[in-house]
Amino acid sequence: MREVGLKFLAFSFLFLALVSSPAFAAKKSKKNKAAESNQASVRPPDWTFAKPADYPESRYMTASGSSQFQKSADSDALSNLAAIFSQKVSSNALAKRNLRQDSEESALKEFAYEQSVGTRVDESELIGVEIKERFFDGKKYYSLAVMDKVEAVKLYKGAIEAGNDEIQRLESFSQDDKISIDRFANLFLAQKIAEENLRRLDRLFVINADEARSVEAKSPQDLRSKRVSLARQIPIFVQVSGDQDSMAYSSIVEALNSFGFRVSQNSGERYSLFADFSIEQKLSADKESWQTFYSLSCSLDDKKNSAAIWSESVKGRISSFKKEDSLDRAKAAMGTKVKDYICQSFSAFLLGSKK
């Protein structure tokens, strides 16, 4: 047994000496170079460096991408195709500005349009795009993203028409109490759908301008005007406990005002927002800094339906070496955070409470 082991060990040393020799390394290098040469000799498809002949521009929009990884190459191709839309959308917006008429009414309409249409198009927002071709040259992956214009026109027009139908349904509020947050939520959602429809229409212009001109899209600005007008007719009573400096109250009022609501001092209003605010300071365990903790919880109640229709809570902590500095920084941070967080949370509530 020992003899077998020694023979195996001797063979192992002999093998290692052989494979590490310059002659073996040179032979291996030649084989690798030959393999790379064979891979490099495969001619890449035309679409990797030029417009693809199989997808004529009259029918298709295309873009290629490359990477050391297949998924990244796919993503690169999609991003490059989206960039074509971004450039053309930006050019369209510039052309509209140059063609703007001098009348004040026309200028305001044009300004509203430009504000509602972004110039950057993300690949995830495109409809009807597929990765049609892939190629690997031994070192790098290549992908070709393709959009069939005819099919894309159908998809975009269908999506816009479906959006218009949903907007019409949301506007035709059948409940008796039309001056309500329920109706406000419908108009809020309708405005968001109209904004998305406008983005779809802008992309449709890039694909086929004639088809886009035949499509009508509801103006988000008109819906926003209706929503703000309605909000001004909905007073909300606000009461915050534990808020000695009225900072939490001010942040809540600012958040509600951003939606257009009026804040009332009358506790008999249909809608009331009740909140509890607390702020506390503690010395850190190492006694080197002060920590200020703040907390706010609020609930929006509908007295007519005897129900809490929305609630939210916000918490935070600020540390500082000085007690007063920690308190001041906590109050400043709390004011901004409360307003932003309430706005985001209430927007999500509105978008999820359609009837």
Side-chain angles (χ1 to χ4, degrees):
M1 190 71 178
R2 176 180 173 81
E3 184 180 353
V4 173
L6 289 173
K7 286 183 178 180
F8 175 77
L9 194 59
F11 176 77
S12 298
F13 279 119
L14 180 62
F15 176 77
L16 288 173
L18 176 64
V19 299
S20 60
S21 67
F24 184 87
K27 188 175 182 181
K28 184 179 178 182
S29 178
K30 287 180 180 179
K31 287 184 178 180
N32 289 341
K33 287 182 179 179
E36 291 175 2
S37 177
N38 289 336
Q39 290 173 338
S41 65
V42 178
R43 187 178 185 278
D46 292 344
W47 57 262
T48 60
F49 55 84
K51 290 291 183 181
D54 293 339
Y55 301 96
E57 289 188 70
S58 58
R59 174 68 186 259
Y60 301 96
M61 293 183 68
T62 63
S64 61
S66 62
S67 175
Q68 292 182 331
F69 304 97
Q70 184 64 75
K71 287 186 177 180
S72 298
D74 291 351
S75 179
D76 189 39
L78 293 171
S79 296
N80 290 337
L81 185 58
I84 297 173
F85 279 82
S86 298
Q87 293 166 3
K88 292 190 176 181
V89 168
S90 180
S91 297
N92 289 344
L94 179 61
K96 289 182 176 68
R97 283 197 294 271
N98 292 337
L99 293 173
R100 180 182 296 162
Q101 297 178 5
D102 294 332
S103 70
E104 182 179 358
E105 181 181 2
S106 174
L108 288 173
K109 286 183 179 179
E110 189 58 48
F111 175 78
Y113 173 81
E114 289 178 12
Q115 293 303 304
S116 61
V117 179
T119 56
R120 184 184 182 280
V121 179
D122 188 82
E123 59 265 26
S124 63
E125 300 173 352
L126 294 179
I127 299 176
V129 180
E130 297 179 80
I131 299 296
K132 288 287 192 180
E133 307 286 347
R134 290 188 176 97
F135 175 72
F136 180 59
D137 65 2
K139 293 182 179 180
K140 187 181 289 187
Y141 291 90
Y142 298 85
S143 298
L144 181 68
V146 178
M147 173 185 281
D148 185 324
K149 293 182 181 180
V150 175
E151 292 302 316
V153 165
K154 293 178 183 177
L155 291 171
Y156 272 105
K157 289 181 72 174
I160 293 171
E161 289 171 5
N164 286 337
D165 291 342
E166 180 65 3
I167 291 171
Q168 186 176 3
R169 188 188 73 81
L170 290 167
E171 281 193 288
S172 57
F173 199 75
S174 59
Q175 292 189 15
D176 295 333
D177 56 335
K178 290 189 175 182
I179 309 300
S180 67
I181 288 182
D182 281 339
R183 175 159 168 73
F184 179 89
N186 278 28
L187 291 174
F188 188 84
L189 179 56
Q191 179 189 336
K192 296 300 180 184
I193 295 173
E195 290 169 355
E196 179 57 33
N197 260 2
L198 204 57
R199 285 189 286 270
R200 289 168 178 159
L201 183 60
D202 211 58
R203 291 165 203 153
L204 185 56
F205 262 105
V206 174
I207 300 167
N208 189 317
D210 291 334
E211 290 284 356
R213 291 188 186 96
S214 68
V215 176
E216 291 186 6
K218 189 77 174 179
S219 168
Q221 297 302 320
D222 290 344
L223 290 165
R224 183 184 182 282
S225 296
K226 289 182 180 181
R227 174 176 65 81
V228 173
S229 177
L230 175 62
R232 288 170 181 164
Q233 303 175 63
I234 303 176
I236 299 177
F237 171 69
V238 177
Q239 185 177 56
V240 184
S241 61
D243 185 22
Q244 296 180 353
D245 297 332
S246 298
M247 290 193 65
Y249 176 85
S250 298
S251 297
I252 292 172
V253 169
E254 195 173 350
L256 293 175
N257 286 343
S258 70
F259 290 93
F261 294 114
R262 290 192 298 113
V263 174
S264 170
Q265 302 296 323
N266 181 6
S267 61
E269 302 290 0
R270 173 179 175 176
Y271 297 104
S272 297
L273 192 152
F274 297 103
D276 292 314
F277 176 70
S278 65
I279 190 164
E280 181 183 11
Q281 287 190 291
K282 291 182 179 180
L283 192 61
S284 62
D286 57 12
K287 296 184 179 181
E288 292 186 357
S289 64
W290 282 91
Q291 296 180 331
T292 301
F293 300 83
Y294 60 87
S295 174
L296 177 73
S297 59
C298 48
S299 174
L300 180 62
D301 298 343
D302 181 354
K303 187 176 293 185
K304 181 176 181 178
N305 295 316
S306 302
I309 60 176
W310 170 77
S311 61
E312 193 54 79
S313 60
V314 186
K315 294 181 179 180
R317 181 185 69 179
I318 295 293
S319 298
S320 179
F321 292 111
K322 294 182 179 180
K323 185 176 182 180
E324 288 302 319
D325 181 55
S326 176
L327 182 62
D328 292 341
R329 289 176 58 196
K331 288 181 178 179
M334 181 275 299
T336 302
K337 186 174 181 179
V338 166
K339 178 196 169 185
D340 294 345
Y341 200 80
I342 286 179
C343 286
Q344 293 173 12
S345 176
F346 197 67
S347 294
F349 155 73
L350 293 172
L351 293 174
S353 63
K354 64 176 182 177
K355 300 298 181 185

